[in-house]
Amino acid sequence: MNKVTVLGSLNVDTILRFKRFPKPGETLPLTGKSIAGGGKGANQAIAAARSGAQTTFIGKVGQDQEGTFMVHQLTDSGVDDRYVLHSDAANTGSAFILLDSSSENRILIDGGTNQQVTPTDVEAAKEAIVDSDFLIAQFETPLDAIVRGFEIARAAKKRTILNPAPATKAVPTDLLAVTDLIVPNETETETLTGVHVTDEYSMIKGAEKLQALGVENVIITVGSKGAFWMRGTDHGFVPAYKVHAVDTTAAGDTFIGALSAVLRADFSNLSEAVRLANRASSLAVQRLGAQPSIPTKAEIEAAERI
């Protein structure tokens, strides 16, 4: 069983459903509204735990009902919440997810306490990082905290996985220097490298540019098409499973969490881990909501037998 620590965000998601996105100045009725747990960090941690990893979370919530709700979302899925801090300086993070009838989404985020995670907070969780096989982070918490977490992991010879989302060009070189695996989607790849991802050739060029920035192992996810991987000079493309998607909100987070649960520390099974992560993601997109959609290990195994 892999041990995974996730440093990241916790958001309460408000999901607004409608037939189509309104035009400027237009008013349209909702077809549905729901509340669910979210945040890229929390999604990835829950996906890792439900996929069988022993998972710990590092993050921060407010002294509010939303914070209590988010901690319960973690613990109900078996995630260790010892390093989830409570702050009265801001509210728990929140997100508003706009979802049309074709399952296209647009997301607005209020970072709240996610933006208050500090390097000192990460230092306090050093024991969990050192005891893990993998440390995962995204860009919904401050970069200096992520850099410190990755430095601790690298010093302890633990593997680091960076999901550079939301996309930003200002990725510190000292963060990339301590990143073992980077997992952007096609948009994030273009932001980081300038390569417009359209086919396998451009995926190779994008991955090579990411390697030139200092990260040897790369996965580029391309939505319903699948995922491209590169390890050293080896590379390949793993097609996605064809399903009817109803909500793609947590698809990428499910992919990363499930990947971390089965990936070997030497990345020798990277291609197979990507395939299993694709399977988990394909189950998630068939359900509504971020965390409610994330499958369990038993569900993934059952789908593998079909």
Side-chain angles (χ1 to χ4, degrees):
M1 176 191 297
N2 280 352
K3 291 183 179 180
V4 175
T5 294
V6 179
L7 165 59
S9 55
L10 302 108
N11 292 328
V12 176
D13 292 348
T14 300
I15 304 156
L16 305 176
R17 296 189 294 278
F18 39 81
K19 289 185 178 179
R20 61 175 175 81
F21 290 99
K23 299 175 183 177
E26 183 180 22
T27 300
L28 294 176
L30 294 177
T31 60
K33 176 183 177 181
S34 58
I35 305 293
K40 294 188 70 62
N43 296 343
Q44 291 169 14
I46 287 173
R50 290 184 186 173
S51 294
Q54 183 178 324
T55 309
T56 301
F57 196 85
I58 304 170
K60 191 171 286 187
V61 295
Q63 297 279 11
D64 47 30
Q65 290 182 340
E66 290 78 8
T68 300
F69 171 75
M70 286 308 305
V71 171
H72 285 164
Q73 298 307 299
L74 294 176
T75 57
D76 285 351
S77 290
V79 178
D80 186 338
D81 70 329
R82 280 179 296 170
Y83 302 102
V84 178
L85 303 178
H86 295 253
S87 170
D88 58 6
N91 293 326
T92 299
S94 58
F96 299 87
I97 299 170
L98 313 179
L99 184 66
D100 72 6
S101 59
S102 66
S103 302
E104 287 291 328
N105 67 50
R106 297 176 186 178
I107 303 174
L108 304 171
I109 294 177
D110 174 18
T113 48
N114 295 317
Q115 293 305 310
Q116 296 186 338
V117 178
T118 68
T120 301
D121 298 331
V122 176
E123 283 279 357
K126 181 176 181 179
E127 181 180 354
I129 297 172
V130 170
D131 191 44
S132 296
D133 298 300
F134 295 98
L135 173 64
I136 303 173
Q138 331 75 37
F139 286 163
E140 290 184 343
T141 52
L143 287 172
D144 57 352
I146 298 170
V147 171
R148 186 64 197 120
F150 277 32
E151 288 173 344
I152 292 170
R154 176 59 64 90
K157 295 182 169 51
K158 306 299 181 177
R159 296 295 195 169
T160 55
I161 300 175
L162 179 64
N163 175 214
T168 177
K169 292 182 179 180
V171 182
T173 55
D174 53 347
L175 175 58
L176 296 174
V178 288
T179 297
D180 293 305
L181 170 65
I182 192 167
V183 190
N185 63 20
E186 62 266 55
T187 302
E188 293 147 6
T189 299
E190 184 171 2
T191 299
L192 290 169
T193 67
V195 176
H196 181 54
V197 175
T198 57
D199 53 20
E200 188 166 357
Y201 175 79
S202 57
M203 293 176 203
I204 292 171
K205 291 303 176 185
E208 287 176 341
K209 285 204 169 186
L210 289 168
Q211 287 183 325
L213 292 173
V215 187
E216 182 178 1
N217 304 287
V218 179
I219 296 173
I220 300 173
T221 59
V222 284
S224 61
K225 296 177 183 178
F228 172 87
W229 61 270
M230 180 173 283
R231 175 175 175 248
T233 58
D234 294 335
H235 60 81
F237 186 82
V238 183
Y241 291 90
K242 300 304 178 184
V243 298
H244 175 66
V246 298
D247 184 0
T248 61
T249 303
D253 297 332
T254 299
F255 178 96
I256 291 171
L259 179 90
S260 70
V262 298
L263 188 61
R264 294 176 190 151
D266 62 359
F267 299 109
S268 60
N269 67 332
L270 187 58
S271 178
E272 175 63 10
V274 168
R275 188 189 67 79
L276 289 170
N278 275 349
R279 173 67 81 181
S281 186
S282 76
L283 295 174
V285 300
Q286 297 179 69
R287 305 167 181 169
L288 286 172
Q291 290 165 15
S293 73
I294 297 170
T296 63
K297 181 178 180 180
E299 290 173 323
I300 297 169
E301 291 174 345
E304 285 284 279
R305 293 194 292 269
I306 296 175

